[in-house]
Structure formats: structure tokens, C-alpha cells
Amino acid sequence: MRLKDKVAIITGAASGIGLATARIFASEGARVVLADLDPARTEAARQAAAAAGAETLALRVDVTDRQSVEAMVSATLTQWGRIDCLVNNAGITKDARLVKMTEQQFDSVMSVNLKGVFNCTQAVAPTMIGQGSGVILIASSVVGLYGNFGQTNYAATKAGVIGFTKTWARELGPKGVRTVAVCPGFIATPILDTIPDAVMEKMVEKVPLGRLGQPEEIARVYAFLASDDASYINGAVIEVSGGIMM
Ligand code: NAP
């Protein structure tokens, strides 16, 4: 069990990659905080993760709301007294071409995908610095590396979190805290539901492995990065995409 007794907070844990990450962290022995918007879905996810025999906590958290994020950190510290890993996974899309994108579409994606990561990381950093250890993991995307049609807002946030990663790796590395970004390719989760089938087929054709990724294929990378097996990985941007862009 690579994560035995480590305390991990996973945002956006009620669905997709976050849910798979909660389950895999639990199966690796972690104590897992599942943080998401919808209380009923978050509790259902907690029960799924707890089935692996782990200690779990479900919290209703909005990563855009700093009070909500502070409450998440306080509840975690009250329960377990430490935070070993934060997985900044919560994310949304609001797609439109540049000429059609509304200010609301732009702002809401910035608010969750970029400021939410800032809010959560700033809230856990003092605890990790005090411990002299911790791991910050961040969901970027291949879209943050290469851009994507219709995703001005999303691509900017996913490139932006790479800037966070490099900066925090420098600021927090000397304090014993590692920061790593993961860039998934196209992974079969509800976030892809709005993409037309014809567009998805074209995407899959570009993947040398010939298929979408599964949420567990990202979750297992997070589990490795959160573990001591990854003790010298800091400031890295790791693409997990089946080789979609080469
Ligand atoms: P998903 O299935 O849609 O799950 C995202 C979760 O985040 C949902 O439960 C969502 O809740 C929650 N969330 C949204 N806004 C939130 C907020 N303000 N506070 C807390 N939680 C919030 O998406 P996914 O595919 O697993 O994606 C997870 C992460 O990986 C995202 O950052 C995404 O950008 C990134 N990623 C995904 C892919 C992919 O192909 N799937 C590729 C590259 C990167 P609601 O459902 O209630 O909104």
C-alpha cells in the first residue's frame, strides 16, 4: 500500500477522474477527503471509496469559494491532523469559439479551473510547509499544451496551472513540498458529454493507442505521484494521453 495513512484531499471527487482517484487512493491505504459540489453525489462517491476499507470523509466544497475551501482544510485537520496530498482535480468546460464566447463562459471557467486551484493550494500550503512535506497535484490537460478549437477559456486555464506548477515547485520545493501537473488526453468521463460523436471519433483517430483513456489510467498516475516512489519528481508536467500529440 503505497499511500498507507497518508491524508489526501481530492476536489471534484464525485465524478470521473476524481472519483477513480478517490477509489485508487483508498485502495492504496490513504485516508481520503472527497470534496465536491453536490452533497448526495459526494456521499455516494465516499461510500464507493470506503468499500476499499479506507477512512473517508465527504465534504460539500465549492473550490471558487474561499470560505468553503477554508472549511474543507479545517475539517480535514480536525479529522486527521495533517494533509499529505491535495489533488486539484475539479474542473469544468464552457466551450465556444473565440468570436462567440460570452464573458460569463470565460469567467466561470477561470473561476473553477484556475482560481479554484489557487484557492485550494493556498489553503493547504501552510499545513504542508509546517509538516515539511506534502504533494500538490494539478489537473492540467493536453489542451493546455496544444490548444483546442472552441476552448479559449479552458486552454488558458490548463496552460495557467502549468505556470502554477513551475512556480510552486520553486517556492515550496525547498520546504519539502512537491508540485506536479498531469496532462490527460481524452478520458471517458461526463466532461466529454457535450462533444459531438463525430468530433470524438476524429479525436480517437489521432490517438496511437486507438481509444479514449479510462479515469483509472489517470488516477493510477496520481497515486504514483502522491507516493514516496515519486520523491524526486517536482515541477514536472506529465502527459498521459496515449500519445495523442507527437
Ligand atoms: P467530471 O467527470 O465532469 O468531474 C468534475 C467534477 O468536478 C464534477 O463532479 C463537478 O461537479 C466538480 N466540480 C465542478 N465545479 C466545481 C467546484 N466549483 N467546486 C468543486 N467541485 C466542482 O470531469 P473529469 O473528466 O473527471 O475531469 C477532472 C479533471 O481532469 C478536470 O480538471 C478536467 O479539466 C481534467 N481533464 C479531463 C480530461 C477528460 O478528457 N476527461 C482531459 C484533460 C483534463 P458537477 O458535476 O456538479 O459540476
Side-chain angles (χ1 to χ4, degrees):
M1 291 221 197
R2 284 182 300 180
L3 302 179
K4 180 117 186 64
D5 295 332
K6 288 191 190 287
V7 176
I9 297 175
I10 301 165
T11 67
S15 175
I17 296 168
L19 172 57
T21 303
R23 296 174 82 138
I24 283 175
F25 274 45
S27 71
E28 291 279 1
R31 293 173 283 183
V32 182
V33 178
L34 297 95
D36 209 310
L37 286 175
D38 183 272
R41 285 174 52 224
T42 310
E43 173 55 21
R46 187 199 69 74
Q47 288 177 17
E55 292 179 70
T56 51
L57 180 64
L59 297 175
R60 196 265 162 201
V61 178
D62 178 351
V63 298
T64 69
D65 174 349
R66 289 172 67 86
Q67 278 188 342
S68 172
V69 168
E70 286 295 343
M72 168 183 84
V73 171
S74 297
T76 305
L77 291 175
T78 301
Q79 187 88 0
W80 290 309
R82 58 184 296 112
I83 302 171
D84 298 293
C85 180
L86 167 67
V87 186
N88 281 298
N89 168 75
I92 61 170
T93 55
K94 298 272 181 215
D95 295 353
R97 281 178 291 137
L98 171 63
V99 292
K100 293 265 174 86
M101 186 169 286
T102 64
E103 187 176 7
Q104 198 276 333
Q105 285 175 314
F106 184 84
D107 287 346
S108 62
V109 172
M110 291 294 141
S111 182
V112 177
N113 297 11
L114 197 60
K115 192 162 179 211
V117 175
F118 169 74
N119 289 342
C120 293
T121 307
Q122 195 178 45
V124 303
T127 299
M128 290 184 176
I129 291 168
Q131 293 167 179
S133 68
V135 183
I136 307 290
L137 301 178
I138 306 180
S140 179
S141 168
V142 290
V143 170
L145 299 173
Y146 309 113
N148 199 21
F149 189 96
Q151 293 198 311
T152 292
N153 48 4
Y154 185 79
T157 62
K158 295 302 180 182
V161 298
I162 292 174
F164 286 167
T165 302
K166 304 281 179 190
T167 301
W168 298 338
R170 291 178 194 278
E171 289 187 6
L172 303 178
K175 315 283 184 194
V177 179
R178 297 186 287 111
T179 308
V180 186
V182 172
C183 295
F186 290 89
I187 310 300
T189 77
I191 211 170
L192 300 186
D193 286 351
T194 56
I195 300 181
D197 288 349
V199 175
M200 278 312 309
E201 276 168 30
K202 287 221 164 67
M203 297 285 193
V204 171
E205 276 171 19
K206 289 185 188 155
V207 182
L209 294 182
R211 62 175 177 84
L212 294 177
Q214 293 302 310
E216 292 72 18
E217 293 177 293
I218 304 301
R220 282 194 289 270
V221 175
Y222 283 139
F224 162 67
L225 292 171
S227 78
D228 295 340
D229 288 347
S231 53
Y232 204 55
I233 301 181
N234 183 39
V237 178
I238 297 178
E239 190 175 324
V240 187
S241 69
I244 193 169
M245 299 282 187
M246 286 187 294

